[in-house]
Amino acid sequence: MQTPSAPGATPFPGLAVRVAGIGLLGPGLPDWARGAALLREPSAWTLAPTVVPPPARLPATERRRAGAVVKLALAVADEALAAAGADPRALPTVFASSTGDPANCHALCEALAQPQRLVSPTRFTNSVHNAPAGYWHIATQSMQASTSLGAYDASVAAALLEAAAQVVEHGRPVLMVASDVPYPEPLHAKRPVLDSLGLALVLVPEAQAGAGPRLRLRPAGARAPSPCAGAATGEGLDVLRTGIPAGRALPLLQALAALAGEAAAAGPVAETIVEGPPGAALSIAVDGP
């Protein structure tokens, strides 16, 4: 994510897309409609365990087999698609997760530590990083392309950049989903994750008529990530940003929630810096429709 530095080079204008639908589920944030109000007024937010609903799209057998990260990803994807009024069979997807399925990883480690080292086929199926994408595309009967990413704490930034690049390159909407869930012990001690949090965005071309707010993504180098508005770093709502990898996108969602509010100010919203790999943060400016 480096900009051209050659003399006379044209400055990188960024990737401009619009947001047609949003899905959100996390601690004290039960969905986008109620979560947006709390993101606008973070003092009203209280920490409460995330409750992930059973995915209605999956048959009963698949619901039992699916791990928590799959159920979380499908819940926010469905909310974003409903808000956008989009056909899931028509959208390419970008799925991202820092954690994958931690409970499944723990169970596999336990199985491999036994003398017999027996691993069930379901455990193996759910161990791949693209399991959420696989469940989604099978459930929706989608034959569209799908990308699955993992970039530690930069996973959500990588997903935003990849999805925006696909929208700009191909001129069509893309569904982006990021979801993370906690590890059980003893893995939790090595990689603590506060709770489950997922978000989904339906990104569409900038020129699409009737679309929502515009995002302009640019490289931000080594700039520090933005904390959540209305909270000190690592306190209040910001504990979700610092304590859950997918929560790195919460300041961006706050900017989108501000535009959705009745009292939203006209003009561009303040720039948001989303954590990326070292030296490669992501700048996102948000404008109204």
Side-chain angles (χ1 to χ4, degrees):
M1 299 192 332
Q2 299 298 318
T3 53
S5 56
T10 302
F12 178 54
L15 299 171
V17 297
R18 293 190 182 273
V19 180
I22 304 174
L24 175 64
L25 178 59
L29 303 169
D31 52 39
W32 173 244
R34 288 174 285 182
L38 294 169
L39 292 175
R40 287 191 293 270
E41 296 291 341
S43 61
W45 172 82
T46 56
L47 183 64
T50 303
V51 179
V52 180
R57 283 192 182 275
L58 296 180
T61 301
E62 295 302 311
R63 284 200 297 270
R64 290 193 295 270
R65 292 174 178 170
V69 72
V70 171
K71 296 174 181 177
L72 176 61
L74 267 60
V76 294
D78 268 326
E79 185 183 13
L81 263 292
D87 181 354
R89 296 170 296 181
L91 270 64
T93 62
V94 175
F95 282 80
S97 179
S98 174
T99 65
D101 189 336
N104 194 64
C105 177
H106 175 80
L108 286 172
C109 290
E110 284 189 322
L112 294 174
Q114 301 302 315
Q116 301 85 357
R117 305 185 72 182
L118 299 177
V119 175
S120 77
T122 299
R123 289 290 184 199
F124 178 78
T125 298
N126 288 337
S127 70
V128 296
H129 198 67
N130 64 344
Y135 276 96
W136 173 260
H137 280 258
I138 291 172
T140 60
Q141 299 182 346
S142 172
M143 301 291 287
Q144 302 297 325
S146 183
T147 304
S148 292
L149 301 172
Y152 199 63
D153 287 341
S155 295
V156 70
L160 286 163
L161 184 62
E162 173 65 23
Q166 289 190 24
V167 172
V168 172
E169 172 67 18
H170 302 295
R172 60 182 301 190
V174 172
L175 169 65
M176 187 226 81
V177 183
S179 54
D180 287 305
V181 299
Y183 289 90
E185 292 291 3
L187 295 174
H188 177 78
K190 297 296 184 182
R191 175 59 164 158
V193 175
L194 179 65
D195 199 345
S196 299
L197 189 147
L199 61 111
L201 301 176
V202 176
L203 301 180
V204 302
E206 182 185 16
Q208 181 166 316
R214 179 176 63 181
L215 308 182
R216 188 175 295 277
L217 292 74
R218 294 186 177 92
R223 294 176 63 186
S226 302
C228 287
T233 300
E235 298 180 7
L237 187 64
D238 203 58
V239 299
L240 304 187
R241 182 187 67 86
T242 59
I244 308 172
R248 268 54 174 185
L250 282 177
L252 169 62
L253 294 184
Q254 282 189 301
L256 292 169
L259 283 178
E262 293 180 356
V269 174
E271 175 191 37
T272 295
I273 306 298
V274 179
E275 181 176 348
L282 185 62
S283 164
I284 306 179
V286 184
D287 296 279

